[in-house]
Amino acid sequence: MSRPSIVAARWYEIRRAQSRKPATYSCPFCPRKLPAFSEHVLIRPEGRGDGRRHAHLACAAKARAAGRLPSESEWRATQPRRPGLLARLLRRRGR
């Protein structure tokens, strides 16, 4: 059985997770198993419910440091900015 992979997305929501459910997950970054009752993180691509994965804290921190799991604010900072109100008004006036 292969490891679950992280769904490709522009940004990821990452939050701490811990469950009392008797389940075991596979970390998408390493070959080790992850018991649900252990402290870990939940990774959701672009805040969607589908494609979410459970991962070890250390594995997710390593992926973030490598730039593979940008947050929404980090992704937005790389996007072109919309012209401001003054620039839009001046452009409209120049037509």
Side-chain angles (χ1 to χ4, degrees):
M1 188 164 116
S2 65
R3 283 192 320 229
S5 61
I6 296 293
V7 174
R10 298 175 297 178
W11 56 271
Y12 299 87
E13 179 183 316
I14 301 171
R15 66 175 176 85
R16 286 185 176 255
Q18 192 170 6
S19 173
R20 298 197 191 283
K21 183 171 80 171
T24 302
Y25 304 105
S26 294
C27 179
F29 302 111
C30 75
R32 296 178 297 147
K33 295 292 182 184
L34 175 66
F37 57 82
S38 67
E39 192 172 22
H40 63 282
V41 293
L42 183 65
I43 301 168
R44 293 175 41 181
E46 296 191 35
R48 299 185 332 224
D50 60 328
R52 70 182 185 176
R53 296 287 177 256
H54 297 260
H56 296 106
L57 284 169
C59 295
K62 189 175 179 181
R64 283 212 21 88
R68 294 194 327 246
L69 293 175
S71 66
E72 182 179 11
S73 60
E74 291 167 342
W75 173 77
R76 286 196 186 282
T78 66
Q79 300 306 300
R81 291 185 165 227
R82 181 177 174 200
L85 177 62
L86 183 58
R88 291 193 313 260
L89 290 173
L90 290 174
R91 185 173 51 209
R92 181 178 282 178
R93 187 173 183 216
R95 288 184 182 175

